[in-house]
Amino acid sequence: MSKPRLLPTGNCWCGCGREVGLGKFFAQGHDKVAESALIALKYEGSVPHFLHSHGYGPQHSVTGDAVDKAGWEECGECTTQPGYRGAKASVAKHKRKYHKPDSRIVDNN
């Protein structure tokens, strides 16, 4: 079964009634508000219950599946494994912040 094609309506999908820009579903930050509200309504405000109901938890990594199945990336420069995981732009930002080139290295050639 395929997912329906959703179209922006010009109003925020969280239900606040705010007008949003062309091609947008949410006012800034309201996607997270809607996500939190849904978790509060359906999972007693518990992210662990939300994850468990979808088959995830310590025994089955949601971020690992996102890397394997949803185009997320994993930072190969982290010393801990698994490394930081996220969308491509998020991993790039993580690398810039935590894996800066060592400015102490001097090329004497």
Side-chain angles (χ1 to χ4, degrees), residues 57-93:
Q59 77 292 349
H60 187 183
S61 172
V62 68
T63 58
D65 265 6
V67 168
D68 294 341
K69 300 175 183 176
W72 273 29
E73 296 183 358
E74 183 174 327
C75 177
E77 297 176 37
C78 287
T79 56
T80 59
Q81 292 301 316
Y84 176 85
R85 294 171 172 169
K88 184 176 184 172
S90 181
V91 172
K93 183 177 180 179

Side-chain angles (χ1 to χ4, degrees), residues 16-27:
C16 71
R18 281 197 186 160
E19 289 185 16
V20 295
L22 186 64
K24 296 190 179 283
F25 286 95
F26 296 98

Side-chain angles (χ1 to χ4, degrees), residues 2-102:
S2 66
K3 295 179 185 172
R5 181 169 180 241
L6 303 176
L7 299 172
T9 62
N11 290 350
C12 183
W13 274 45
C14 84
C16 71
R18 281 197 186 160
E19 289 185 16
V20 295
L22 186 64
K24 296 190 179 283
F25 286 95
F26 296 98
Q28 186 174 354
H30 288 213
D31 54 338
K32 294 298 179 188
V33 170
E35 180 181 68
S36 294
L38 184 60
I39 290 172
L41 287 166
K42 299 292 184 177
Y43 304 99
E44 300 169 1
S46 169
V47 174
H49 281 106
F50 170 68
L51 291 171
H52 176 76
S53 73
H54 291 278
Y56 296 104
Q59 77 292 349
H60 187 183
S61 172
V62 68
T63 58
D65 265 6
V67 168
D68 294 341
K69 300 175 183 176
W72 273 29
E73 296 183 358
E74 183 174 327
C75 177
E77 297 176 37
C78 287
T79 56
T80 59
Q81 292 301 316
Y84 176 85
R85 294 171 172 169
K88 184 176 184 172
S90 181
V91 172
K93 183 177 180 179
H94 161 84
K95 286 181 178 182
R96 285 191 305 273
K97 184 173 181 179
Y98 295 105
H99 304 295
K100 295 177 184 174
D102 193 338

